[in-house]
Amino acid sequence: MSAETIAIGLKKGYIVSKIEKSIKKERPVLRKGTLGQRVAFVREVIREVAGWAPYERRMIELLKVGGASEERKAMKIAKKRLGTHKRAKGKKEEMKKVVMAMKRKA
């Protein structure tokens, strides 16, 4: 009986060959969640037409002022509206980028 056929220990189980990395990268499941061109364009058009939600406008105003306390208030507003801390962090970063773009434009 060879060591590979024993069902215990470090080298237990059936011997298989490893999948090459180049093949692994091509799997469609790894593309899941990435933003496509069409979706990005549609979202941009909708944002242009619809504008910002009231809570987003309030966050932008708080972030324009700057400071740690205003940033915390913006985070608190986002968390209350969006439900989770993680979503609120993402929204705050998005709004920060908007504020920075506004400052660059002006």
Side-chain angles (χ1 to χ4, degrees), residues 47 51-60 91 94-95:
R47 175 64 74 195
W52 303 104
Y55 83 95
E56 289 173 330
R57 280 194 295 252
R58 192 165 167 210
M59 283 178 71
I60 289 169
K91 182 58 79 173
E94 184 186 332
M95 294 296 115

Side-chain angles (χ1 to χ4, degrees), residues 60-87:
I60 289 169
E61 288 303 314
L62 286 168
L63 293 169
K64 269 185 192 173
V65 174
S69 63
E70 279 79 9
E71 205 167 298
R72 280 198 296 274
K73 282 178 189 171
M75 187 74 173
K76 195 172 181 181
I77 291 166
K79 189 171 184 294
K80 185 160 170 105
R81 296 294 296 212
L82 300 171
T84 66
H85 185 76
K86 191 174 182 180
R87 287 177 183 173

Side-chain angles (χ1 to χ4, degrees), residues 10-73:
L10 219 71
K11 296 184 185 252
K12 65 178 179 182
Y14 187 77
I15 300 167
V16 293
S17 57
K18 291 226 175 201
I19 300 172
E20 291 178 40
K21 283 190 176 182
S22 60
I23 295 170
K24 251 186 179 176
K25 284 182 182 174
E26 293 170 8
R27 292 175 58 217
V29 72
L30 298 175
R31 289 194 311 266
K32 185 178 178 185
T34 56
L35 192 64
Q37 276 185 317
R38 183 185 170 94
V39 173
F41 175 71
V42 168
R43 285 183 187 168
E44 187 183 324
V45 169
I46 289 170
R47 175 64 74 195
E48 208 173 291
V49 172
W52 303 104
Y55 83 95
E56 289 173 330
R57 280 194 295 252
R58 192 165 167 210
M59 283 178 71
I60 289 169
E61 288 303 314
L62 286 168
L63 293 169
K64 269 185 192 173
V65 174
S69 63
E70 279 79 9
E71 205 167 298
R72 280 198 296 274
K73 282 178 189 171

